[in-house]
Amino acid sequence: MTTTIPPRTRRAAPPAEPTASASDAASGRGFAVRVSLGRVFAPVPSEFLLIASTALLLTGFGLTMVLSATMATALADGQSPFEVVLKQAVFAVIGIPLMFVASRLPVSFWKKIAWPALILTTVFQLLVFVPGIGIENDGNRNWVRIAGLQMQPSEFLKVTLALWLGYVLYRKRTLLGLWRHVFIPVVPVGALVIGTVMAGHDLGTAMILMAILLGCLFFSGVRLRLFLIPLILVVGAAAVFAVTSPNRMGRIMSFLNVDSTACYFDDCYQSLHGVWGLANGGIFGLGLGNSREKYGWLPAQSNDYIFAILGEELGLIGCLVVLALFTLFAVGAFHIVRKTHDPFIRIVAGGITVWIVGQALLNIAVVLRLAPVLGVPLPFMSQGGTSLLSVLIACGVLLSFARTLPQPALAPPPASGRAASGRPASGRPARASR
């Protein structure tokens, strides 16, 4: 009996690994590109949109008013009517992209540059005392001219002081119950920075820097009794600076003078013409470009008193629109202060908000003769490239902070397929299995 041996079966080769085709690679690259673009165009918080939109609208509004306020005097001097506004527009073209670039920077970046930025801007401020570089105007030595470009270094001190105060108070957040940790190094360094401005006799800018210091201390959460001491020191320093200057005392006394026409040819000239410009505008204004005060009657028509030209040409309606835009800006900024969980963000955002909104209110109060003339510009709108640039950079810092705000949780998507109740996606009841 013979047996047949079955032939040995050949073992099947393992399946080959799938190779990515060119179409798969292309689709992978396309997916990566879509992911990158999705991060760029990801939804931003409402505070981001509110601050960015109001900053852009106020900047555009300001360029329009600077053009209207300077056309007559430029033509009278034999210059192009667009001479001044083009210089202002250059700083706007630089500042707006910088604002959005700053909005993409992380919070850790602002913490790292707090000390170096304050040191650099303080050294820049000291250049106003260098002969041949520093410029004096109306008794204030607060400008420099480098390579034919005139700048005001103290404007950059505002944003760097807010960043530095936020960083120092953030690092000492667990020690702010002790007065020595609140005062050192805040008071000595703050006094040094503000002293460099006061050495140039610029009380208005020094008062804004004092307000930033007080605002940062307030939003850091220090105890009220510790906050009152710096407040008393700031008020006392401002009073001493005012009393020791005959020019400042003259402006203060003219502000308190009931018979304002008595000092028309002295200290009340510009204040009266500012009020008269607002009065001429009425409710609807004389029309854009139809101001009368800008024809040499109002000396500071394009910077400190641009709100008077705005009221004269666009009336009460135009003034209310500008006030509404600043109100919306304040709402967006204070929402950052309220919603954030980071003490550094809360302190810096609070200081910047006090600076921009407080300076706007102070400028408008001066034009309305509710405050003595202090020489502070209207943020976003007054002529002055460094002022506009520093405000836009500060807005970029706020936009960077707005990106970190916690977003409300989204509702979970509806369940697909069979629901937990045993019903299929079509909505028909499922059959029971036998």
Side-chain angles (χ1 to χ4, degrees), residues 272-293:
L272 287 175
H273 278 282
V275 174
W276 291 346
L278 289 172
N280 288 336
I283 296 178
F284 300 102
L286 302 178
L288 189 62
N290 294 328
S291 169
R292 299 166 186 168
E293 294 292 337

Side-chain angles (χ1 to χ4, degrees), residues 361-413:
L361 294 177
L362 183 59
N363 176 276
I364 294 171
V366 168
V367 176
L368 295 174
R369 292 210 72 196
L370 299 176
V373 179
L374 295 172
V376 293
L378 184 62
F380 299 105
M381 299 190 66
S382 290
Q383 176 193 351
T386 46
S387 174
L388 178 61
L389 190 59
S390 64
V391 169
L392 289 175
I393 292 174
C395 289
V397 176
L398 291 179
L399 296 179
S400 172
F401 294 164
R403 291 182 182 274
T404 66
L405 295 181
Q407 297 300 306
L410 299 176

Side-chain angles (χ1 to χ4, degrees), residues 74-88:
L75 288 172
D77 296 337
Q79 301 175 350
S80 168
F82 306 102
E83 180 79 18
V84 178
V85 74
L86 286 178
K87 294 179 181 178
Q88 186 80 353

Side-chain angles (χ1 to χ4, degrees), residues 186-224:
V186 169
V187 172
V189 175
L192 175 64
V193 171
I194 298 171
T196 60
V197 178
M198 277 308 307
H201 307 288
D202 189 355
L203 179 60
T205 303
M207 290 184 65
I208 299 300
L209 292 172
M210 295 175 188
I212 293 172
L213 190 149
L214 292 176
C216 290
L217 283 174
F218 177 81
F219 288 106
S220 68
V222 298
R223 295 179 180 178
L224 183 60

Side-chain angles (χ1 to χ4, degrees), residues 88-239:
Q88 186 80 353
V90 169
F91 285 95
V93 170
I94 296 173
I96 291 174
L98 276 179
M99 178 179 72
F100 287 107
V101 169
S103 71
R104 306 292 302 184
L105 298 175
V107 177
S108 58
F109 172 82
W110 303 114
K111 294 178 181 178
K112 290 178 182 177
I113 70 164
W115 270 104
L118 184 67
I119 294 173
L120 287 176
T121 52
T122 304
V123 173
F124 189 31
Q125 170 64 23
L126 292 176
L127 292 179
V128 302
F129 306 108
V130 177
I133 297 179
I135 299 174
E136 185 174 346
N137 185 18
D138 293 334
N140 293 346
R141 193 175 182 86
N142 205 22
W143 291 267
V144 296
R145 178 171 288 147
I146 301 175
L149 186 63
Q150 184 171 321
M151 295 171 286
Q152 189 173 358
S154 58
E155 291 295 331
F156 297 115
L157 280 176
K158 297 174 182 177
V159 61
T160 56
L161 181 63
L163 287 171
W164 179 83
L165 287 169
Y167 179 71
V168 170
L169 294 173
Y170 160 76
R171 292 291 301 270
K172 292 193 169 192
R173 60 190 181 276
T174 59
L175 303 172
L176 294 181
L178 304 174
W179 71 269
R180 60 181 180 274
H181 288 285
V182 174
F183 279 60
I184 300 175
V186 169
V187 172
V189 175
L192 175 64
V193 171
I194 298 171
T196 60
V197 178
M198 277 308 307
H201 307 288
D202 189 355
L203 179 60
T205 303
M207 290 184 65
I208 299 300
L209 292 172
M210 295 175 188
I212 293 172
L213 190 149
L214 292 176
C216 290
L217 283 174
F218 177 81
F219 288 106
S220 68
V222 298
R223 295 179 180 178
L224 183 60
R225 59 184 176 85
L226 296 178
F227 177 77
L228 288 176
I229 299 176
L231 178 61
I232 295 172
L233 292 176
V234 165
V235 174

Side-chain angles (χ1 to χ4, degrees), residues 23-52:
S23 60
D24 294 336
S27 63
R29 288 195 298 270
F31 178 75
V33 170
R34 287 195 298 271
V35 170
S36 300
L37 290 176
R39 291 174 181 173
V40 173
F41 297 103
V44 292
S46 59
E47 291 79 10
F48 184 99
L49 298 176
L50 199 58
I51 294 172

